[in-house]
Amino acid sequence: MTSAMQVLEQSVVVFSQNYLPLCRVNIKRAIVLLVSDKAEALNLTAESGWQVNSPSLVLSVPKHIRLKIASAERMWKVPPVNRREVLRRDHHSCQYCGSSKHLTLDHVIPRSKGGPHTWDNVVTACERCNSRKSDRTPGEAGMQLRTKPKAPLHPAISFAEQFWNDVQANLE
Ligand SMILES: [Zn+2]
């Protein structure tokens, strides 16, 4: 028998209506989804999950739940445009020369020219490229971006791959 505290530390895998594993949520979030009828138990394996006791009810929480609603995307928000997230998106490399050293953030269209602080206008740039580019657009500076900046993708795809890899590893 697991204690209530141990149960609350567990996480549950959420599947979309189309049975695509989307993400992990903590057990409290899973309970909210189940109780509000936004999700149902999904019995993928013989493992039964956890039992949660409250004064008024006993709830069994499965290890996998499936959303009944088509709003999986809303559970994930585009991360804020900050140094950590931009560097992660750009794989810690300067988007002008590919260097991985002395990285800074560059506004493609400089802020002084009205460039916004948005995912499609902020890239990782090394100090050298950033100072060479200075207060100019890439075109004016004769520099070229390696990729067109855009907001990070919904992580469901990579999560799904990881999930099925783990399942496979458990079977072996
Ligand atoms: Zn560079």
Side-chain angles (χ1 to χ4, degrees), residues 67-124:
L67 291 175
K68 292 175 158 186
I69 46 167
S71 64
E73 302 77 25
R74 273 184 240 147
M75 294 180 63
W76 181 77
K77 287 200 214 109
V78 175
V81 184
N82 60 34
R83 181 184 156 82
R84 195 180 62 148
E85 297 291 348
V86 172
L87 260 61
R88 191 207 309 255
R89 179 199 62 185
D90 294 340
H91 308 291
H92 295 82
S93 66
C94 172
Q95 294 302 290
Y96 296 102
C97 75
S99 167
S100 60
K101 296 204 176 88
H102 309 295
L103 298 178
T104 61
L105 293 189
D106 170 56
H107 290 89
V108 179
I109 298 168
R111 300 219 80 171
S112 61
K113 296 187 171 154
H117 189 68
T118 53
W119 276 111
D120 55 3
N121 194 51
V122 178
V123 295
T124 305

Side-chain angles (χ1 to χ4, degrees), residues 4-105:
M5 281 314 292
Q6 283 173 315
V7 166
L8 290 177
E9 285 164 11
Q10 304 299 322
S11 64
V12 171
V13 178
V14 181
F15 285 72
S16 72
Q17 278 184 314
N18 305 318
Y19 300 93
L20 175 74
L22 294 175
C23 58
R24 258 176 207 284
V25 295
N26 65 38
I27 207 154
K28 287 182 202 164
R29 177 93 178 112
I31 291 170
V32 169
L33 289 169
L34 289 167
V35 173
S36 61
D37 205 32
K38 293 201 174 84
E40 63 188 8
L42 185 61
N43 294 315
L44 284 186
T45 57
E47 297 169 90
S48 54
W50 305 277
Q51 221 177 51
V52 181
N53 298 290
S54 83
S56 54
L57 89 166
V58 176
L59 194 66
S60 70
V61 182
K63 293 195 168 175
H64 308 103
I65 60 175
R66 172 179 169 242
L67 291 175
K68 292 175 158 186
I69 46 167
S71 64
E73 302 77 25
R74 273 184 240 147
M75 294 180 63
W76 181 77
K77 287 200 214 109
V78 175
V81 184
N82 60 34
R83 181 184 156 82
R84 195 180 62 148
E85 297 291 348
V86 172
L87 260 61
R88 191 207 309 255
R89 179 199 62 185
D90 294 340
H91 308 291
H92 295 82
S93 66
C94 172
Q95 294 302 290
Y96 296 102
C97 75
S99 167
S100 60
K101 296 204 176 88
H102 309 295
L103 298 178
T104 61
L105 293 189

